[in-house]
């Protein structure tokens, strides 16, 4: 693997798992994970940043590994008390997870940026890589469905992605500034590769690529941009990517992914089960299912070696 700094773009659970593998496969300080914030929302007066927390908890090794999001061994006493007093019960807030939302909200109200708070929490949790929100300005994913307009978490959690997906917009993205930590990684002379993690391409990666100038800056660096497919056997490993692709008329195939990423990628990592579909870019075929942290690290190493091979041309 070519030494240097790597930039990973990630959202939800799949992205966090590969990001954790990359964090283990790379020396400390050689990885920046830029995370989608379109899922963020205000819930019971707290700023909840699900993808930031999923990436942070997973890199810290404290996440609920089966569920993907939230903290392992969580208790739900506060949730019980919340609902007893008439609070909403559709979005589960664990007792340990609440500490993150409470302190983040307090510090943002005091004027701290999401980047600074995220970096502080990561350091306190012993993470030696950089986790940065895609922007410190608010961006909110709004989903248009056949049942009307839904804020992201209402669509994703409350309605369990059942309404028919028509389109999504990232409110605020047109004026949101990419976070300083994301720009620093993009401007780093030692940047050796950019990895689009196996997150939901529409819900988790596209918000990051929608920030003004980001796609052009990715291209301008002329380092390999490698995407890891979130599909295995043309089905999403987890979450609604397959359903949303179908509802958008996109094929859950290498070509569909490349179209979804506007031709940005130089290489694609796909699973053995997806080799019969045409692939218009260089591809690396392997087992992409990450059942545990060893799988995460193995896949990450293969992605980094593939990126290096693309560098060599
Ligand atoms: N996902 C759910 O399906 N149900 C939940 O109750 C839920 C709570 C939750 C709390 C904190 C957090 O960081 C994530 C949470 N998620 C939950 C996942 C969340 O909806 C994310 O947006 C997904 O991971 C997609 O990115």
């Amino acid at each position: 693997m070519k030494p240097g700094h790597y930039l990973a773009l990630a959202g939800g659970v799949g992205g966090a798992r590969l990001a954790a593998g990359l964090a283990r496969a790379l020396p400390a300080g050689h990885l920046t994970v830029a995370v989608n914030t379109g899922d963020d929302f205000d819930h019971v007066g707290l700023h909840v940043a699900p993808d930031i927390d999923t990436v942070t908890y997973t890199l810290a090794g404290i996440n609920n590994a089966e569920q993907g999001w939230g903290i392992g061994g969580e208790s739900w006493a506060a949730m019980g008390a919340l609902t007893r007093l008439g609070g909403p019960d559709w979005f589960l807030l664990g007792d340990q997870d609440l500490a993150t939302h409470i302190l983040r909200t307090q510090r943002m109200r005091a004027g701290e940026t999401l980047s600074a708070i995220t970096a502080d929490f990561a350091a306190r949790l012993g993470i030696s890589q950089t986790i940065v929100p895609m922007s410190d300005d608010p961006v909110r994913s709004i989903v248009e469905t056949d049942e009307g307009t839904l804020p992201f978490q209402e669509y994703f959690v409350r309605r369990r992605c059942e309404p028919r997906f028509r389109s999504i917009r990232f409110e605020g993205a047109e004026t949101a500034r990419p976070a300083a930590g994301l720009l620093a990684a993009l401007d780093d002379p030692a940047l050796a590769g950019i990895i689009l993690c196996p997150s939901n391409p529409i819900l988790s990666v596209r918000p990051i690529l929608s920030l003004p100038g980001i796609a052009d800056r990715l291209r301008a660096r002329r380092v390999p941009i490698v995407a890891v497919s979130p599909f295995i056997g043309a089905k999403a490993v987890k979450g609604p990517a397959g359903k949303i692709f179908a509802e958008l008329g996109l094929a859950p195939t290498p070509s569909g992914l490349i179209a979804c990423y506007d031709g940005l990628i130089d290489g694609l990592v796909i699973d053995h089960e997806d080799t019969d579909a045409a692939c218009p870019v260089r591809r690396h075929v392997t087992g992409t299912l990450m059942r545990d942290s060893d799988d995460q690290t193995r896949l990450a190493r293969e992605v980094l070696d593939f990126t290096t091979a693309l560098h060599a041309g």
Side-chain angles (χ1 to χ4, degrees):
M1 166 197 63
K2 180 171 166 42
H5 199 90
Y6 288 83
L7 169 63
L9 306 188
V13 173
R17 287 178 171 150
L18 182 67
L22 290 167
R24 282 189 289 270
L26 288 165
H30 282 67
L31 173 68
T32 294
V33 187
V35 185
N36 167 43
T37 56
D39 294 9
D40 290 18
F41 74 134
D42 182 283
H43 189 63
V44 295
L46 298 173
H47 182 121
V48 177
D51 285 356
I52 293 265
D53 294 343
T54 300
V55 170
T56 301
Y57 295 157
T58 307
L59 266 70
I62 62 170
N63 66 311
N64 176 322
E66 302 70 48
Q67 191 172 258
W69 55 267
I71 294 175
E74 184 62 282
S75 56
W76 307 93
M79 201 62 220
L82 267 168
T83 44
R84 184 170 58 207
L85 293 177
D89 64 355
W90 60 274
F91 192 82
L92 298 179
L93 295 170
D95 296 331
Q96 297 176 73
D97 193 31
L98 266 172
T100 306
H101 310 315
I102 291 166
L103 290 175
R104 171 190 291 129
T105 304
Q106 178 197 31
R107 293 173 68 166
M108 287 180 82
R109 281 203 189 120
E112 275 192 83
T113 62
L114 186 56
S115 287
I117 299 163
T118 302
D120 183 48
F121 286 176
R124 289 172 186 278
L125 292 172
I127 295 168
S128 60
Q129 305 292 12
T130 302
I131 301 173
V132 65
M134 67 185 193
S135 172
D136 285 324
D137 299 322
V139 177
R140 295 292 173 267
S141 298
I142 307 291
V143 182
E144 295 301 335
T145 76
D146 61 347
E147 294 178 23
T149 304
L150 294 174
F152 183 83
Q153 296 298 344
E154 298 268 339
Y155 165 76
F156 191 87
V157 177
R158 197 168 200 171
R159 300 300 318 281
R160 301 149 58 94
C161 306
E162 280 153 13
R164 193 174 174 74
F165 189 99
R166 292 265 187 262
S167 66
I168 188 168
R169 61 188 157 82
F170 310 120
E171 210 162 65
E174 59 286 346
T175 54
R177 292 157 295 173
L182 168 54
L183 296 178
L186 277 172
D187 296 341
D188 185 337
L191 186 69
I194 296 163
I195 294 147
L196 306 188
C197 291
S199 304
N200 185 309
I202 308 284
L203 303 184
S204 301
V205 181
R206 287 287 288 266
I208 305 173
L209 300 179
S210 72
L211 294 175
I214 277 298
D216 294 340
R217 291 183 81 127
L218 291 178
R219 284 190 185 90
R221 275 314 308 268
R222 308 191 61 70
V223 297
I225 301 176
V226 170
V228 179
S229 173
F231 300 115
I232 295 180
K235 289 189 189 61
V237 173
K238 179 176 175 61
K243 176 177 183 285
I244 292 174
F245 263 55
E247 289 165 350
L248 288 176
L250 281 174
T253 60
S255 305
L257 265 180
I258 286 153
C260 180
Y261 290 140
D262 303 329
L264 197 58
I265 57 179
D266 305 305
L268 189 59
V269 178
I270 61 170
D271 192 84
H272 297 295
E273 291 189 32
D274 297 296
T275 49
D276 52 1
C279 184
V281 296
R282 289 265 303 269
R283 71 183 191 181
H284 173 73
V285 182
T286 185
T288 57
L289 184 64
M290 294 177 278
R291 285 161 296 238
D292 55 27
S293 59
D294 289 344
D295 276 349
Q296 294 167 5
T297 309
R298 171 194 53 76
L299 181 59
R301 287 209 170 96
E302 289 190 45
V303 170
L304 291 166
D305 290 342
F306 177 50
T307 305
T308 300
L310 288 172
H311 228 291

